[in-house]
Amino acid sequence: MHTCDVLILSASYGAGHNQVSAALKTALTGRRPELRVEIRDFMDITLPRANRITQVGYVQMVRRFPAGYRWFYESTSSIHPGSGAQMILNRLGRDRFLGFIRRTSPGLIVCTFPIPAGMLSSLRLQGVHLPPWVTVVTDVVVHSQWLNPGTEAYVVPDESLVAALAARGIPAHRIHPFGIPLRPGFAGLPGWRGDSQAGDDAPPEQPRFTALVMGGALGVLDAAPSICDALLDLGSDIKVIAVAGRNQILRRRLAHLSERSRGALEVHGYVENVPDLMRSSHVLISKAGGVTVYEALAMGLPMLIFRPIPGQEEGNTRFLSRTGAGQAFTRISDLVHAVRGLMVNPARRQSMRAAALAYGRPHAAERTAELLLSLVKDGGARSTRPAAASSSYAALDAPGEARWNQSL
């Protein structure tokens, strides 16, 4: 007896994993209201005492010691699923996790955070009976922690990752380039931002140029006050909206600056109306979290990245630059110069907007939900094995799949 039909395993390192999880739950229950969908923090299940400590440690590392985070990210980027280091990682909290899975008995597991898929894979290879699981990758990068034998399907942000994952031995028919699932409301509207080329869809009163500055849910863009101050120096033709997230110190610094801006700087803390803020802005200045990048693409919002976090954010930034929808900067002066260029060049804004919309995937949540529902309907019995187990991935995958199929 299943206590939940779909179990979504997330984590609270930033807000991206949780936002993707919520988007999937909304899409699933919107199609099947009777479906029992549960979202749980994987670290709360396995290492509850260490969870908060590791969250704080992650934020402090990316803020204060980015070189250390880069070393950690790169040193773990190519760990083989069968390596000793990976096996040690997969044993952390194993008994708690297995007990939780047996109690909830889900029909399908969705991993929006990479580590639970590794533990599931390890349990499967040990002969433990498990439901199928799907991994939803939340960055435009290939990191070994996302890739694990026995995974039924991978949902990835972009078509370019299909070949990259296939090169790691994952059968192409398991890889679904749907985009990153987003919450409802993230979809661009033609001609919204007052551009001269917008046509009849433009709002009747053209707003002044608006720059949206966001530091993520945790407010880790420490340079936000300096960026906003420099933007305000561009004159009365610009309005700045700054979102500090849950960082109260950052919010107070921005509020102090706002008091001197005579209404040109609007400050928010943590907000839920991000689609509205993006829709009313001409450019987004932010960190390069995967979810934020895909929200901006879906909205057709040009994006300027300031000092991306090493690792996954650098990969997201390279992808964004390739699309033509964004640029990255390490100096505030160069960033402000780019904003000034967008202010005076509507054609440039339109070009970046068109590039963003071309790569945006506003329906990723719906497409992913359809895939998940097909697995729930089939009870996980559908086989997606490759015809020949020739790759290292397939060779690792085959024993676990055989045990799973024999248990059906």
Side-chain angles (χ1 to χ4, degrees):
M1 178 67 179
H2 299 313
T3 60
C4 74
D5 298 302
V6 180
L7 171 64
I8 302 177
L9 295 173
S10 184
S12 298
Y13 298 97
H17 304 295
N18 290 329
Q19 289 174 357
V20 169
S21 299
L24 289 175
K25 181 174 181 177
T26 298
L28 285 167
T29 56
R31 280 155 180 71
R32 294 264 300 275
E34 78 283 2
L35 207 66
R36 294 163 297 181
V37 181
E38 183 174 348
I39 300 173
R40 290 296 299 267
D41 188 310
F42 173 76
M43 298 298 291
D44 266 346
I45 297 170
T46 56
L47 300 169
R49 293 182 180 178
N51 189 18
R52 181 57 183 165
I53 296 173
T54 56
Q55 289 176 34
V56 173
Y58 165 76
V59 173
Q60 292 305 313
M61 177 171 281
V62 298
R63 275 181 174 167
R64 313 300 180 197
F65 190 35
Y69 182 75
R70 182 194 300 278
W71 174 86
F72 172 77
Y73 183 89
E74 293 179 351
S75 65
T76 59
S77 65
S78 298
I79 293 179
H80 192 276
S83 69
Q86 189 64 50
M87 293 301 179
I88 292 173
L89 179 63
N90 291 339
R91 283 199 293 268
L92 297 175
R94 174 190 180 278
D95 292 341
R96 287 192 183 94
F97 182 64
L98 186 55
F100 175 81
I101 294 298
R102 285 172 171 165
R103 289 193 303 274
T104 56
S105 187
L108 176 70
I109 299 174
V110 181
C111 302
T112 64
F113 178 62
I115 296 178
M119 188 173 290
L120 289 166
S121 178
S122 178
L123 290 168
R124 170 81 59 85
L125 291 173
Q126 294 168 30
V128 177
H129 175 82
L130 292 168
W133 67 88
V134 174
T135 293
V136 180
V137 181
T138 58
D139 292 293
V140 198
V141 293
V142 178
H143 191 284
S144 66
Q145 292 303 305
W146 288 108
L147 313 180
N148 297 281
T151 303
E152 182 79 10
Y154 294 87
V155 175
V156 298
D158 185 68
E159 287 81 358
S160 62
L161 292 187
V162 176
L165 267 64
R168 296 282 189 105
I170 298 174
H173 63 273
R174 292 182 185 263
I175 309 167
H176 305 269
F178 293 161
I180 295 180
L182 304 177
R183 295 162 291 170
F186 288 98
L189 299 177
W192 173 256
R193 294 181 181 83
D195 295 322
S196 61
Q197 301 175 19
D200 294 337
D201 292 318
E205 294 185 5
Q206 308 275 358
R208 60 178 164 170
F209 187 92
T210 302
L212 175 60
V213 181
M214 297 179 63
L218 299 178
V220 296
L221 189 62
D222 291 338
S226 298
I227 291 172
C228 291
D229 196 20
L231 290 173
L232 293 172
D233 284 342
L234 291 175
S236 59
D237 290 337
I238 189 170
K239 175 182 178 181
V240 181
I241 302 174
V243 179
R246 294 190 172 92
N247 188 330
Q248 295 302 318
I249 295 176
L250 177 59
R251 184 174 185 179
R252 286 195 292 270
R253 291 174 62 196
L254 289 167
H256 180 69
L257 181 61
S258 177
E259 291 174 358
R260 298 185 284 108
S261 73
R262 297 182 180 180
L265 174 60
E266 178 182 315
V267 178
H268 300 269
Y270 181 80
V271 296
E272 293 289 351
N273 64 329
V274 175
D276 295 331
L277 296 179
M278 286 190 173
R279 194 171 288 117
S280 64
S281 303
H282 294 81
V283 65
L284 170 64
I285 299 167
S286 181
K287 58 195 291 294
V291 173
T292 301
V293 167
Y294 266 78
E295 288 172 347
L297 292 175
M299 299 293 290
L301 180 60
M303 190 171 185
L304 304 180
I305 303 299
F306 187 72
R307 295 179 185 171
I309 294 170
Q312 69 271 21
E313 286 202 7
E314 289 179 329
N316 295 334
T317 299
R318 287 191 294 271
F319 164 75
L320 184 66
S321 297
R322 289 197 304 270
T323 68
Q327 295 175 272
F329 302 90
T330 58
R331 297 193 305 178
I332 293 177
S333 59
D334 293 336
L335 174 70
V336 174
H337 181 74
V339 173
R340 182 187 293 110
L342 290 174
M343 289 177 66
V344 301
N345 191 343
R348 173 61 174 157
R349 296 202 300 266
Q350 281 296 98
S351 174
M352 294 182 71
R353 171 172 165 75
L357 291 174
Y359 281 87
R361 300 290 182 268
H363 304 298
E366 290 75 13
R367 296 187 68 187
T368 304
E370 293 296 337
L371 170 66
L372 301 178
L373 289 173
S374 73
L375 296 174
V376 173
K377 179 179 179 181
D378 293 347
R382 185 183 66 177
S383 173
T384 56
R385 284 195 303 274
S390 57
S391 69
S392 60
Y393 178 92
L396 278 168
D397 204 24
E401 281 202 337
R403 279 192 284 271
W404 169 242
N405 289 332
Q406 289 169 4
S407 70
L408 292 173

